[in-house]
Amino acid sequence: MMFRIWLSLGLLIVCVGQCHAQITASQVSSGTGSRSATLEEQLVNRLRASAEDQRNYLKYVVKQVELGKIDVKLVVGIERYALRRNPSLPFPFFERAFRYEASRRGLTVPPVRQFATAGASGGIRR
């Protein structure tokens, strides 16, 4: 009986000793050397945009901000809303809320699935 307890304890120590923590780098890096993230980096990392179509969609959102069609405060507000709604998977909430707010302002935004084959230029698949 005592042997089983010591064996279990030994296996537990060995298993715990082999576990490692992983710290991942941001998925987008501007490479400017600045300590603050760009809007695109912030959106990609905080909204957990892991798929290429999601990242292309966020590039499109940033482009709309740069063109002055959407206010940056609105985009950040929608990002915070999505994070409050579902901290583990916020991107779908961001997409829906952004499309709704953009349509209220007269801007038509395609769904994220149309960005599946779009390149870094932010084009849309036809």
Side-chain angles (χ1 to χ4, degrees), residues 59-70:
K59 285 179 186 179
Y60 176 80
V61 170
V62 171
K63 189 71 167 172
Q64 298 308 305
V65 170
E66 291 171 354
L67 294 173
K69 294 183 179 181
I70 294 287

Side-chain angles (χ1 to χ4, degrees), residues 67-121:
L67 294 173
K69 294 183 179 181
I70 294 287
D71 188 24
V72 69
K73 291 179 183 179
L74 177 65
V75 173
V76 172
I78 295 170
E79 172 203 21
R80 290 179 182 164
Y81 160 79
L83 287 167
R84 279 193 315 269
R85 286 295 305 242
N86 189 345
S88 61
L89 191 62
F91 185 84
F93 292 95
F94 176 84
E95 179 196 5
R96 274 184 258 143
F98 181 75
R99 291 184 67 207
Y100 173 77
E101 290 296 331
S103 69
R104 285 186 60 205
R105 287 154 177 80
L107 181 65
T108 303
V109 178
V112 71
R113 66 180 171 268
Q114 289 189 353
F115 290 84
T117 58
S121 63

Side-chain angles (χ1 to χ4, degrees), residues 15 22-23 50 54 81 95 99 106 116:
C15 290
Q22 180 180 2
I23 299 173
S50 57
Q54 293 174 341
Y81 160 79
E95 179 196 5
R99 291 184 67 207

Side-chain angles (χ1 to χ4, degrees), residues 24-62:
T24 59
S26 64
Q27 294 180 3
V28 175
S29 173
S30 63
T32 61
S34 174
R35 299 203 86 176
S36 60
T38 64
L39 178 62
E40 183 179 346
E41 291 169 347
Q42 178 182 338
L43 292 174
V44 167
N45 291 318
R46 290 178 51 111
L47 294 175
R48 304 182 199 291
S50 57
E52 189 66 30
D53 57 342
Q54 293 174 341
R55 288 191 297 270
N56 289 334
Y57 184 84
L58 293 176
K59 285 179 186 179
Y60 176 80
V61 170
V62 171

